[in-house]
Amino acid sequence: MKTVDWKRVAPWTKSASLAVTTFAVALLGTGCNPECVDQFDCRADNGQPPAGQQWVCVDEKCETEPVEQPPTPDSGTPDAGLVDSGTPDAGPVDSGTPDSGPGPADSGTPDAGPVDSGTPDSGPVDPTPDAGTPDAGPVTCENTPHDAKLGTLALQPGFVATETAPLPDGISALGSSPGPTYAFYAVQGGGKDAALYSMGTWPDLQLSTTRLYDVVTPEDRAGSVAVYAGGYLINDGQRVFTGYTTGASGAPGSVSLYDIATPASSSFLSAPKNYSAAAFSNGNTSAVLINGGGLGTMPTGLGIYGLVTSENPLGTVRVANFPEGTVGSGFTAVADNGVAALGYFNGDFVNVIYGVAPSVVAQAITSGTPVELASQSPIVVGSDFDSASSFGAGVVVNRGGYDENFSFVSTDVSRFALSTSSGGDTVNVGARAAVLDYVDQCTTVTMLEPLGSDVLVGVADKNGQRLVRLQVVP
């Protein structure tokens, strides 16, 4: 285990407001010139885009843009028959010739024969009433009913949605303290202006106007390469950890450490390709597990690294090796029973994840001998996924896949229970349990974040962005 050589930078001490920016994930691949030819180059180099976004190649540079949701036509567009206005009736148009026989005149110009019986008209009535009379057009996300908490997402049996809180614009990462009072911090901004702010305590969240700390080093803020704020924030009660990568070759970046009690002691640590992270604790051993391509002065290479917080000064160690053929970093979570869910982006360009027992992770941290991740218990997700979090004694993922435009289309949020065998060194993986089903793409999940034994789901739709707390029904 190595001792960390931190780079200290004084924090901000005065307020500043940030322009709202689009969320950007950490780069995983190696930069080049030109940066891209098409969106596939962007995906291979930068990893999966944020939820609801897609990679595009503009002027040989990778950018993200919102995914357009196609409207869903209703079952009665157009009507199976002509719209009945009531006048004239469905009979032929009057010829204008006076009635040839006795009897009362009909309601229009005298026709050439008796009044017809065409009421209602001869076309069948719509099987499903549409949004207006006559048709108001196709059913879209704007006129689809939305639940106040979950929008059009369908909550499945075994789970309950409780409190909600608004999610401000431009938040690229957030996280809470261990609890039972959950103090929140957030990173606002997705590029060089990314900075740390307080958000208060759950559920009364409100983004502070006081800028606590710049997430990006002064050198990278002043440099010419693009910066991508990471999508994770870890709060161990004493420090707040977050990170970023850059568009330079090899995706260099840093992990920032904000010291809550002594802001002047805040610092940075080199961490190329850092993509996700989670707090781990087992007995007297604790660490922040970082899924990336290196940490501090350690040899580089994709894997799981540990920033050992149970040591003073903090140490660094390689915790797990990825198998040969791994393309990029992946997702990281630690269940509340200590089981770690560690993943990577494989050679088939799909995210995979494995369960690792807490005793095995702790042994790797203390011994300095990394675990071979491919030898651990696979969590068979059954599809690709674009986010993951702990959820009680298990892990939850947002499942789906990439369409022909290389945009992620979600199908459901599902949970896998995780436990250890009687010997404590093997993980048992439970069957998939659907938590939320996507009825359509009108409401999307933007993030999954742990809150004690529960999970916070970031939800976005026509009613804005919000956080929804989900719990497992006892």
Side-chain angles (χ1 to χ4, degrees), residues 19 66 105 166 183 239 249 293 437:
R239 295 151 294 212
S249 177
D437 278 350

Side-chain angles (χ1 to χ4, degrees), residues 146-393:
H146 283 58
D147 177 74
K149 292 180 180 178
L150 294 173
T152 62
L153 297 170
L155 185 66
Q156 299 303 295
F159 305 94
V160 62
T162 59
E163 310 102 341
T164 66
L167 181 60
D169 291 334
I171 299 298
S172 56
L174 58 80
S176 74
S177 60
T181 299
Y182 299 109
F184 271 74
Y185 290 83
V187 174
Q188 187 176 49
K192 295 179 181 181
D193 60 350
L196 184 69
Y197 293 82
S198 171
M199 286 190 70
T201 58
W202 180 264
D204 302 315
L205 301 184
Q206 184 172 0
L207 189 68
S208 171
T209 59
T210 301
R211 187 174 188 150
L212 297 176
Y213 194 62
D214 280 312
V215 170
V216 183
T217 65
E219 293 81 4
D220 285 334
R221 292 202 308 274
S224 60
V225 298
V227 170
Y228 305 93
Y232 67 87
L233 187 151
I234 309 299
N235 181 350
D236 68 358
Q238 302 178 54
R239 295 151 294 212
V240 177
F241 303 87
T242 188
Y244 70 94
T245 55
T246 73
S249 177
S254 295
V255 171
S256 68
L257 180 156
Y258 175 73
D259 190 306
I260 297 173
T262 312
S265 298
S266 302
S267 50
F268 293 93
L269 181 65
S270 174
K273 299 182 180 179
N274 71 92
Y275 181 67
S276 64
F280 171 82
S281 180
N282 183 63
N284 295 323
T285 302
S286 61
V288 175
L289 304 180
I290 299 173
N291 197 317
L295 191 62
T297 59
M298 300 191 70
T300 59
L302 291 171
I304 303 294
Y305 294 83
L307 182 53
V308 186
T309 54
S310 53
E311 299 290 336
N312 188 14
L314 305 184
T316 58
V317 64
R318 186 166 181 140
V319 177
N321 295 326
F322 293 160
E324 187 176 349
T326 296
V327 174
S329 308
F331 294 99
T332 310
V334 177
D336 65 6
N337 58 5
V339 175
L342 309 176
Y344 57 89
F345 198 56
N346 70 12
D348 294 326
F349 296 95
V350 173
N351 282 291
V352 295
I353 197 164
Y354 290 79
V356 185
S359 61
V360 175
V361 176
Q363 177 64 23
I365 292 172
T366 56
S367 69
T369 302
V371 175
E372 297 299 328
L373 193 56
S375 68
Q376 300 300 303
S377 302
I379 301 172
V380 182
V381 174
S383 72
D384 203 352
F385 56 97
D386 71 346
S387 56
S389 171
S390 63
F391 188 3

